[in-house]
Amino acid sequence: MEKIKIAMVSLGCAKNRVDAEMMLYKLREAGFEIIEDPAMADVSIVNTCGFIESAKQESIEEILELGNLKKEGKIRHIIVTGCLAERYKEEIMKELPEADAVIGLGANGDIVEAVNNVLEGKEALLFPDKMLMPLGDKRIQSTPLHYAYLKVADGCDNRCTYCAIPLIRGGFRSRKMEDILEEARALAKKGVREICVIAQDTTRYGLDIYGELKLSQLLRELCKIEEIKWIRILYCYPDNITDELIDTIASEEKILNYIDLPLQHSNGRILRAMNRRGDTKSLTALINKIRARIPDVVLRTTLIAGFPTETEEEFEEVAQFAKDIKFERLGCFAYSTEEDTPAAELPQLDMEIREKRADIIMSEQQYIMADWSSSQIGKTLEVVCEGFDRYAECYFGRSYADAPEVDPVVFFTSERKLSAGEFIKVKITDTLDCDLVGEVI
């Protein structure tokens, strides 16, 4: 008998991707055939994002697109999972009748049951306690073989007033260190050379289960895994960037000199309104300390423009902060009003003002990133090859300065044939917008 074909579209962040990989493993173990193309599947699963309005819209559009394929008889069933499903539950079934099943985060471990239900024509609305969501398990790696995301915790306790993540995913929960290390060793044995450490708030790792911050210890243990070459840390909340963590990054050769530090703003009053701490002075001091102790560090951040009640002067302060600090990587987003969050109750700025302010910061950032890229000309960087670009007729890859999927890349030529996942030395000879151009030496 021909196997039922299942495909999954996973939207949003890397943490959501890891959830999708765990669900796919369970489905394969249950005897289903996993395929990549949702248009060719019997059952297509949409693992949604519900973080901000644009992400919600992307999720809805994906469901509608699959719904058209279902009407045409190309696919049989659609299952909606992920953050949007958890947040809006029955509303999705009412508003999007294309969906045959909607399951919350706590039912990720019950994905096989959900698929069997829709195949049998049963209604599948599964919403157990979100705290039942598996934090870690075996998974089918959906990234290229040479890198993988390693989720060390889920949920968040920070309660930023603009953010719906605690409402959707619940409180912060760390995984046991031994479980994380076991998973990392298994990934390394399969060929993973770069580990990207992720959580909603990576720097808080361990506080809930060990009573103290344990990220530094975890990183040192990960460095002992022989096959792992690069360790990249993402989503570091500034409050918990300790001296110990800075020293660990500086001293451990495998930990890349790259820190993703989402600051959101620098004005003290706006940060307090966001239920965050710090101000321009304290954040500048932190960044100066990091740069003094970690040579050639690349800092990535995100900022929010047009937060409710933000004055022109407060916006100018954060814009000047970004200009002065010269983040090597920065994304600025117009504030998105999220229902059921405290910030949604504040007086809202016109969307036009929010978008204009975000554009001002991003326009300046293009010059900053271009200057940084130009400063790399003449240097030799270690680069992991990602593949061959047929249009550019050269290879492309990433250096320590480039996180997968979000940062620029390095284009380079090579006299010998290279494979994806191979590490080579590239001499930088030019730039292309914010990307680097070079040649293998």
Side-chain angles (χ1 to χ4, degrees), residues 50-51 53 56 84 87-88 91 161-164 167-168 335-345:
F51 181 46
E53 192 58 42
K56 287 186 249 178
L84 197 74
R87 191 171 183 188
Y88 293 106
E91 292 172 57
T161 59
Y162 54 81
C163 182
L167 297 172
I168 298 169
Y335 166 75
S336 174
T337 309
E338 296 304 307
E339 59 189 332
D340 301 324
T341 62
E345 304 302 315

Side-chain angles (χ1 to χ4, degrees), residues 171-240:
F172 187 83
R173 293 185 295 151
S174 298
R175 295 174 63 192
K176 290 181 181 176
M177 193 176 298
E178 55 266 35
D179 294 344
I180 297 169
L181 294 171
E182 183 182 348
E183 181 179 3
R185 292 186 196 104
L187 289 168
K189 282 185 169 53
K190 289 197 310 184
V192 170
R193 295 293 169 265
E194 178 183 2
I195 290 285
C196 298
V197 178
I198 58 171
Q200 306 295 341
D201 176 1
T202 308
T203 41
R204 186 183 282 260
Y205 171 71
L207 188 61
D208 54 318
I209 57 174
Y210 300 116
E212 58 183 324
L213 300 173
K214 286 286 190 178
L215 181 59
S216 294
Q217 183 183 338
L218 173 64
L219 292 170
R220 290 193 296 270
E221 292 298 320
L222 287 170
C223 287
K224 294 175 185 176
I225 302 174
E226 189 177 340
E227 301 93 337
I228 298 295
K229 184 173 177 63
W230 281 0
I231 297 170
R232 188 181 300 276
I233 314 167
L234 303 176
Y235 313 119
C236 298
Y237 199 80
D239 288 27
N240 292 323

Side-chain angles (χ1 to χ4, degrees), residues 107-306:
N108 280 4
D110 304 318
I111 188 65
V112 173
E113 178 189 342
V115 169
N116 284 328
N117 281 348
V118 298
L119 290 172
E120 293 168 13
K122 297 176 184 174
E123 187 184 65
L125 277 170
L126 298 175
F127 291 100
D129 188 334
K130 65 187 75 175
M131 291 296 138
L132 295 174
M133 182 183 74
L135 292 181
D137 207 341
K138 292 180 180 176
R139 53 189 170 117
I140 295 176
Q141 189 179 331
S142 61
T143 52
L145 183 61
H146 57 277
Y147 78 84
Y149 295 102
L150 185 66
K151 186 158 74 165
V152 301
D154 209 298
C156 192
D157 286 343
N158 290 321
R159 303 279 169 180
C160 300
T161 59
Y162 54 81
C163 182
I165 291 296
L167 297 172
I168 298 169
R169 299 186 82 93
F172 187 83
R173 293 185 295 151
S174 298
R175 295 174 63 192
K176 290 181 181 176
M177 193 176 298
E178 55 266 35
D179 294 344
I180 297 169
L181 294 171
E182 183 182 348
E183 181 179 3
R185 292 186 196 104
L187 289 168
K189 282 185 169 53
K190 289 197 310 184
V192 170
R193 295 293 169 265
E194 178 183 2
I195 290 285
C196 298
V197 178
I198 58 171
Q200 306 295 341
D201 176 1
T202 308
T203 41
R204 186 183 282 260
Y205 171 71
L207 188 61
D208 54 318
I209 57 174
Y210 300 116
E212 58 183 324
L213 300 173
K214 286 286 190 178
L215 181 59
S216 294
Q217 183 183 338
L218 173 64
L219 292 170
R220 290 193 296 270
E221 292 298 320
L222 287 170
C223 287
K224 294 175 185 176
I225 302 174
E226 189 177 340
E227 301 93 337
I228 298 295
K229 184 173 177 63
W230 281 0
I231 297 170
R232 188 181 300 276
I233 314 167
L234 303 176
Y235 313 119
C236 298
Y237 199 80
D239 288 27
N240 292 323
I241 301 282
T242 61
D243 288 349
E244 181 190 15
L245 180 59
I246 294 171
D247 289 342
T248 301
I249 296 169
S251 62
E252 291 285 357
E253 191 178 334
K254 291 185 179 183
I255 303 175
L256 298 175
N257 292 348
Y258 178 106
I259 304 176
D260 177 26
L261 192 67
L263 300 179
Q264 314 309 352
H265 214 280
S266 72
N267 174 267
R269 188 192 73 83
I270 290 293
L271 284 169
R272 287 191 296 277
M274 290 177 166
N275 195 33
R276 295 173 71 93
R277 286 156 293 285
D279 53 24
T280 296
K281 185 178 177 182
S282 65
L283 293 174
T284 300
L286 172 64
I287 289 161
N288 288 341
K289 182 200 290 188
I290 292 170
R291 284 181 167 160
R293 288 163 69 174
I294 305 175
D296 298 323
V297 69
V298 165
L299 295 178
R300 176 178 183 83
T301 197
T302 51
L303 298 174
I304 295 173

Side-chain angles (χ1 to χ4, degrees), residues 9-12 16 46-50 55 59-60 63 80-86 92 105 169:
V9 180
S10 191
L11 304 170
N16 217 31
V46 185
N47 190 33
T48 58
C49 177
S59 296
I60 291 166
I63 296 164
V80 181
T81 67
C83 289
L84 197 74
E86 176 66 38
I92 293 177
L105 296 171
R169 299 186 82 93

